[in-house]
């Protein structure tokens, strides 16, 4: 087992896909173990009616498949394999290791996870076990081997779904196995205690370690815990979970080397796994996404999640493993999707590179904690709006077969670094208003509003293909990333950096000298002092823009000042700068800009970088997928009014010729196919 100790520079770009149909995949999680056999027959007939061609099964079935340790019962699973295959529905077979059975917990109580504040968690649920428990890893490999042996040659098997949403609902465990494994992980990373002491800055508060076994997991303590230690514990936890995945994947590969193996990510919504590293270990990226029901801009956040999924896949097609037809059951107010919303959501994922659209789950559960979660087939059955929309979506996907395998081209990259999220979210930062995610969402939204396609990239990735790179509050920038970003601009790239970026290295140590240590040279400025603002305080810029949350005392060296502060603690000093550096340029935005202030600035930047910011969105989201020969223009109308858009070719959903203008009715989507 070998995993890299730092994030890989660039994701893989393989275009591996599921055998079988040449079209798109459609379906969802299916839990027949909750139903009598006669219901399975009804389900399968309904799946056929909806055009479903892929279901994920056995995700939580460990207790049924292995009722006592080492005793297996595959009778139900054999039956369901047979019935699905007869109906021509392919199978994404899960390893059920996200929910160990009751016997496991009784026999191996030391596998139970311990929270940061010392609570040992019980069973009767799912999701958590100490990822470093040797008994868990052995038991997980054993059930995986049984499944792989039994179904390796089954013609319905097209995909493996290892575990479920690693890292959720919680990820880090402070149990004895984890502490022992953490110490080994540290020995591998630092080799000597002297190095560890230096990297963790343990002379602060006299935390110096003289023996490896003095080191503990960073549990809840009286005051704030060493943040370099916490950062390493995050890295360790991501690696420990990844080892669990690889443990199962490698068993599977012995039996089915040609069937792709994946696990479902939660791209923007779970920060425990460092997905850039994980993406290298899956054959196809798979992602789960649920709307934040109460946010009016949740379709923009969906787009961001889908763009990150595609980026993790290196641009290759990916699988939307789960989303919902309507309400979920775990938000404060589980607002149902209204007519057409599910289709718009699905087609936005598709437009952003997903070639499989799957849901949680096929049939709603009558019991268990998810009984109020929507499904493809609701409790009320097939005579429902939701089911009719599910059938209609199946038809829509059928008409979009030609899209399969085409790709999205983006000229703008937003930097996304999980390690920077971890570090920035610790306590005692200069202001509670600092938020990596807040700035990411702000910049992403501004670009989305302009219909600019965006990839996400790790700060050490090869950025040469991008005309513009945006670093929204990227607090942690290690030396490799610093060099990469500086080189990118020197070679002709354009970089936008927002405040509180490039402050610390990979051990959360402030760079020597004035901020922003990692980006001083490329930005052509230094920041002798941070000047955060009061709650609700605003500052005015000389270009009439308004800032909130943050300002800096800036001294420019080579940068040109684009706007100064008129008032506030940095009055008279630079607010917005641009540094021509080598063949490119780098902007610095030292305050929180929103709305039209951010939009107009980005428009200037896009123009300088030579990127066409076509037209403001007017409620119509546009994305292009293309191949060398074909182009597919997706137009998703989120507004209540019909809209016209320039296009020519064939509209695939209505199968009509388009000559110059296509009408996109309110709430609907149109996909115009043209040849290049
Ligand atoms: C996650 C899980 C599913 C289900 C859904 C409910 O995505 O993977 O098993 O619990 O949430 O939204």
């Amino acid at each position: 087992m070998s995993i890299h100790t730092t994030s890989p520079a660039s994701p893989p770009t393989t275009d591996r896909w599921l055998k079988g149909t040449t079209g798109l995949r459609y379906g969802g999680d299916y839990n027949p173990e909750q139903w009598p056999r006669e219901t399975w027959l009804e389900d399968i007939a309904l799946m056929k009616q909806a055009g479903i061609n892929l279901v994920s099964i056995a995700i939580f079935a460990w207790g049924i498949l292995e009722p006592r340790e080492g005793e297996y019962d595959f009778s139900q699973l054999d039956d369901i394999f047979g019935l699905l295959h007869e109906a021509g529905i392919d199978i994404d077979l899960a390893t059920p290791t996200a929910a160990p059975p009751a016997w496991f917990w009784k026999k191996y109580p030391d596998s139970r996870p311990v929270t940061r504040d010392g609570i040992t968690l019980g069973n009767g649920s799912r999701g958590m076990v100490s990822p470093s428990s040797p008994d868990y890893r052995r038991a997980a490999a054993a059930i995986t081997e049984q499944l792989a042996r039994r179904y390796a040659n089954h013609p319905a098997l097209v995909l493996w779904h290892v575990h479920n949403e690693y890292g959720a609902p919680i990820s880090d465990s402070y149990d004895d196995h984890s502490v022992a494994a953490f110490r080994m992980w540290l020995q591998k990373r630092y080799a000597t205690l002297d190095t560890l002491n230096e990297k963790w800055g343990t002379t602060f508060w006299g935390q110096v370690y003289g023996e490896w076994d003095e080191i503990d997991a960073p549990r809840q303590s009286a005051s704030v815990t060493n943040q370099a230690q916490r950062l390493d514990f995050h890295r360790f936890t991501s690696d420990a979970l990844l080892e669990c995945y690889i443990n199962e994947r490698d068993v599977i590969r012995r039996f089915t080397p040609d069937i792709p193996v994946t696990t479902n990510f939660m791209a923007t919504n779970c920060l425990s796994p460092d997905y850039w590293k994980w993406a290298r270990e899956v054959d196809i990226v798979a992602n789960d996404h649920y709307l934040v029901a109460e946010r009016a801009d949740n379709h923009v956040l969906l787009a961001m999640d889908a763009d990150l999924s595609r980026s993790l896949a290196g641009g290759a097609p990916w699988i939307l493993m789960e989303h919902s037809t309507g309400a979920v059951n775990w938000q404060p107010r589980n607002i149902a999707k209204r007519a057409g919303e599910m289709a718009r959501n699905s087609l936005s994922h598709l437009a952003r590179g997903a070639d499989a659209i799957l849901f949680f789950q096929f049939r709603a559960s009558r019991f268990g904690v998810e009984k109020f979660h929507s499904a493809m087939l609701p409790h009320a059955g097939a005579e429902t709006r939701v089911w009719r929309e599910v059938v209609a979506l199946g038809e829509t996907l059928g008409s979009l077969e030609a899209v399969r395998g085409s790709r999205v081209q983006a000229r703008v990259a937003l930097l996304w670094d999980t390690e920077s999220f971890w570090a920035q979210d610790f306590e005692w930062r200069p202001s509670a208003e600092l938020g990596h995610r807040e700035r990411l969402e702000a910049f992403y939204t501004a670009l989305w509003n302009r219909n600019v396609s965006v990839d996400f990239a790790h700060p050490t990735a090869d950025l040469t293909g991008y005309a513009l790179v945006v670093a929204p509050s990227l607090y942690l920038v290690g030396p490799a990333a610093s060099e990469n970003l500086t080189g990118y601009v020197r070679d002709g790239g354009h970089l936008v950096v927002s405040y509180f970026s490039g402050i610390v290295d990979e051990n959360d140590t402030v760079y020597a000298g004035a901020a922003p240590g990692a980006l001083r040279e490329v930005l052509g400025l230094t920041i002798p002092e941070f000047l955060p603002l009061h709650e609700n305080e605003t500052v005015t810029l000389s270009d009439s823009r308004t800032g909130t949350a943050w300002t800096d005392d800036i001294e420019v060296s080579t940068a040109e000042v684009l706007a100064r502060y008129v008032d506030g603690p940095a009055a008279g000093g630079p607010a917005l700068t641009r540094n021509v550096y080598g063949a490119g340029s780098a902007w610095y935005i030292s305050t929180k800009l929103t709305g039209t202030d951010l939009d107009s600035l980005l428009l200037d930047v896009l123009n300088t970088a030579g990127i066409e910011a076509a037209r403001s969105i007017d409620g119509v989201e546009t994305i292009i997928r293309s191949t060398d020969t074909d182009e597919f223009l997706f137009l998703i109308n989120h507004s209540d009014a019909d809209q016209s858009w320039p296009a020519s070719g064939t509209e695939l959903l209505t199968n009509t010729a388009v000559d110059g203008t296509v009408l996109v009715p309110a709430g609907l989507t149109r996909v115009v196919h043209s040849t290049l």
Side-chain angles (χ1 to χ4, degrees):
M1 190 179 313
S2 97
I3 48 183
H4 315 265
T5 51
T6 53
S7 292
S10 301
T13 52
T14 54
D15 200 346
R16 193 158 175 197
W17 197 244
L18 285 55
K19 68 177 184 182
T21 172
T22 52
L24 301 166
R25 291 293 187 159
Y26 185 43
D29 286 13
Y30 182 43
N31 296 303
E33 60 276 8
Q34 296 173 15
W35 300 93
R37 193 173 192 275
E38 57 269 24
T39 307
W40 306 355
L41 304 177
E42 192 187 313
D43 287 342
I44 289 171
L46 287 167
M47 287 177 192
K48 295 300 293 173
Q49 187 196 349
I52 286 174
N53 56 24
L54 181 68
V55 292
S56 308
I57 58 173
I59 302 177
F60 298 108
W62 194 350
I64 293 146
L65 300 173
E66 190 178 359
R68 278 163 296 282
E69 187 169 17
E71 281 179 36
Y72 301 98
D73 178 359
F74 293 109
S75 52
Q76 259 196 9
L77 195 57
D78 287 352
D79 198 6
I80 197 77
F81 252 89
L83 291 172
L84 287 166
H85 181 53
E86 255 170 52
I89 297 167
D90 289 332
I91 291 174
D92 168 29
L93 179 59
T95 65
T97 51
W103 57 256
F104 178 86
W105 298 112
K106 184 175 166 203
K107 187 157 179 198
Y108 306 109
D110 58 330
S111 297
R112 294 201 283 160
V114 176
T115 62
R116 192 161 179 245
D117 45 8
I119 298 168
T120 304
L121 299 179
N123 57 323
S125 180
R126 63 144 182 214
M128 259 308 287
V129 58
S130 163
S132 299
S133 156
D135 289 317
Y136 170 69
R137 291 194 186 186
R138 185 184 37 73
I143 182 68
T144 299
E145 177 165 346
Q146 291 295 322
L147 286 165
R149 264 183 205 289
R150 191 165 191 94
Y151 299 106
N153 297 316
H154 199 291
L157 177 68
V158 297
L159 180 66
W160 283 99
H161 178 305
V162 171
H163 194 271
N164 191 65
E165 294 186 340
Y166 279 102
I170 61 167
S171 59
D172 46 342
S173 177
Y174 297 74
D175 64 289
D176 291 348
H177 295 300
S178 294
V179 174
F182 182 45
R183 289 182 189 136
M184 283 170 61
W185 186 93
L186 291 169
Q187 288 184 25
K188 220 166 133 194
R189 185 173 175 89
Y190 296 118
T192 68
L193 275 175
D194 284 348
T195 310
L196 177 139
N197 279 314
E198 185 207 322
K199 297 291 185 188
W200 282 12
T202 55
T203 49
F204 180 81
W205 285 353
Q207 296 165 6
V208 185
Y209 294 101
E211 304 281 347
W212 288 100
D213 64 4
E214 291 167 5
I215 300 172
D216 195 5
R219 309 175 192 277
Q220 193 64 51
S221 55
S223 184
V224 170
T225 313
N226 184 312
Q227 292 168 336
Q229 180 185 2
R230 289 196 67 191
L231 196 49
D232 274 346
F233 197 64
H234 274 303
R235 292 187 177 109
F236 156 76
T237 299
S238 175
D239 285 355
L241 291 167
L242 185 54
E243 283 176 2
C244 290
Y245 165 78
I246 292 172
N247 176 42
E248 295 184 33
R249 182 204 63 191
D250 288 355
V251 170
I252 291 167
R253 282 194 177 158
R254 284 187 0 237
F255 296 92
T256 57
D258 298 329
I259 307 275
V261 185
T262 192
T263 185
N264 41 347
F265 296 171
M266 291 164 282
T268 61
N269 292 316
C270 182
L271 293 176
S272 315
D274 183 350
Y275 287 131
W276 291 117
K277 279 169 96 170
W278 283 64
R280 301 198 118 176
E281 306 295 346
V282 297
D283 294 323
I284 301 172
V285 164
N287 191 54
D288 296 351
H289 182 265
Y290 292 92
L291 294 183
V292 183
E294 289 187 81
R295 271 185 70 164
D297 64 345
N298 56 24
H299 53 294
V300 183
L301 301 182
L302 177 157
M304 177 164 134
D305 201 77
D307 284 343
L308 178 58
S309 301
R310 181 189 67 251
S311 305
L312 290 167
W318 54 280
I319 295 170
L320 176 66
M321 190 62 91
E322 293 178 27
H323 70 151
S324 71
T325 58
V328 297
N329 64 303
W330 42 266
Q331 294 183 7
R333 275 162 289 275
N334 294 298
I335 312 294
K337 292 184 185 177
R338 300 321 298 144
E341 194 174 356
M342 173 190 80
R344 287 195 301 280
N345 291 168
S346 298
L347 295 173
S348 181
H349 283 292
L350 176 67
R352 293 170 191 281
D355 278 356
I357 303 296
L358 278 63
F359 289 87
F360 175 83
Q361 60 176 329
F362 178 72
R363 182 186 274 273
S365 301
R366 284 188 51 223
F367 44 80
V369 298
E370 294 183 325
K371 50 188 166 292
F372 299 121
H373 197 291
S374 61
M376 299 175 96
L377 184 66
H379 291 301
E383 297 302 321
T384 50
R385 174 188 67 81
V386 169
W387 179 253
R388 282 189 287 277
E389 289 195 25
V390 164
V391 173
L393 179 58
E395 279 164 22
T396 298
L397 296 178
S399 67
L400 294 175
E401 185 169 336
V403 173
R404 214 327 275 138
S406 57
R407 289 181 174 229
V408 175
Q409 308 294 339
R411 298 186 63 215
V412 180
L414 270 175
L415 299 181
W416 179 283
D417 183 1
T418 311
E419 297 197 350
S420 193
F421 269 108
W422 293 334
Q424 187 163 327
D425 287 348
F426 293 138
E427 314 85 337
W428 290 3
R429 299 311 185 210
S431 169
E433 303 281 341
L434 290 165
H436 193 172
R437 182 180 294 270
E438 187 283 328
R439 283 292 83 189
L440 266 161
E441 288 182 10
F443 280 94
Y444 183 86
T445 302
L447 292 161
W448 187 92
N449 280 330
R450 290 261 163 208
N451 270 319
V452 175
S453 287
V454 168
D455 280 346
F456 286 88
H458 189 271
T460 57
D462 177 3
L463 301 169
T464 46
Y466 297 107
L468 175 65
V469 170
V470 182
S473 281
L474 191 69
Y475 163 70
L476 182 156
V477 176
S482 164
E483 224 172 89
N484 191 45
L485 296 174
T486 306
Y488 163 75
V489 177
R490 190 186 303 118
D491 295 345
H494 298 282
L495 176 69
V496 173
V497 176
S498 84
Y499 55 87
F500 209 54
S501 295
I503 309 297
V504 296
D505 69 10
E506 69 278 19
N507 294 302
D508 200 36
T509 294
V510 171
Y511 280 94
L519 301 169
R520 272 191 304 246
E521 183 179 336
V522 73
L523 292 175
L525 54 78
T526 56
I527 300 171
E529 197 175 8
F530 301 136
L531 300 171
L533 301 181
H534 292 276
E535 193 175 6
N536 301 324
E537 183 179 356
T538 58
V539 285
T540 310
L541 277 59
S542 55
D543 59 10
S544 305
R545 291 188 170 96
T546 302
T548 57
W550 188 265
T551 60
D552 291 307
D553 174 23
I554 295 175
E555 285 176 9
V556 291
S557 49
T558 52
E560 170 199 356
V561 178
L562 303 177
R564 291 184 177 274
Y565 288 108
V566 173
D567 49 25
L576 307 175
T577 63
R578 177 172 177 235
N579 191 37
V580 175
Y581 181 81
S585 66
W587 281 260
Y588 183 63
I589 307 174
S590 69
T591 188
K592 180 168 164 182
L593 299 180
T594 54
T596 50
D597 286 344
L598 182 59
D599 175 68
S600 59
L601 182 66
L602 270 180
L603 204 54
D604 289 349
V605 171
L606 289 165
N607 285 336
T608 309
I611 297 164
E612 195 193 343
R615 157 174 167 182
S616 92
I617 204 152
D618 284 341
V620 179
E621 177 183 359
T622 73
I623 311 107
I624 293 172
R625 285 185 63 163
S626 59
T627 64
D628 291 345
T629 52
D630 296 81
E631 187 172 281
F632 304 93
L633 170 64
F634 283 74
L635 299 152
I636 305 172
N637 188 349
H638 295 281
S639 79
D640 293 333
D642 295 351
Q643 308 259 6
S644 292
W645 209 268
S648 291
T650 307
E651 201 292 306
L652 296 177
L653 271 56
T654 52
N655 194 23
T656 49
V658 174
D659 189 9
T661 309
V662 64
L663 178 76
V664 193
L668 296 186
T669 298
R670 291 292 176 253
V671 183
V672 180
H673 175 209
S674 55
T675 45
L676 297 170

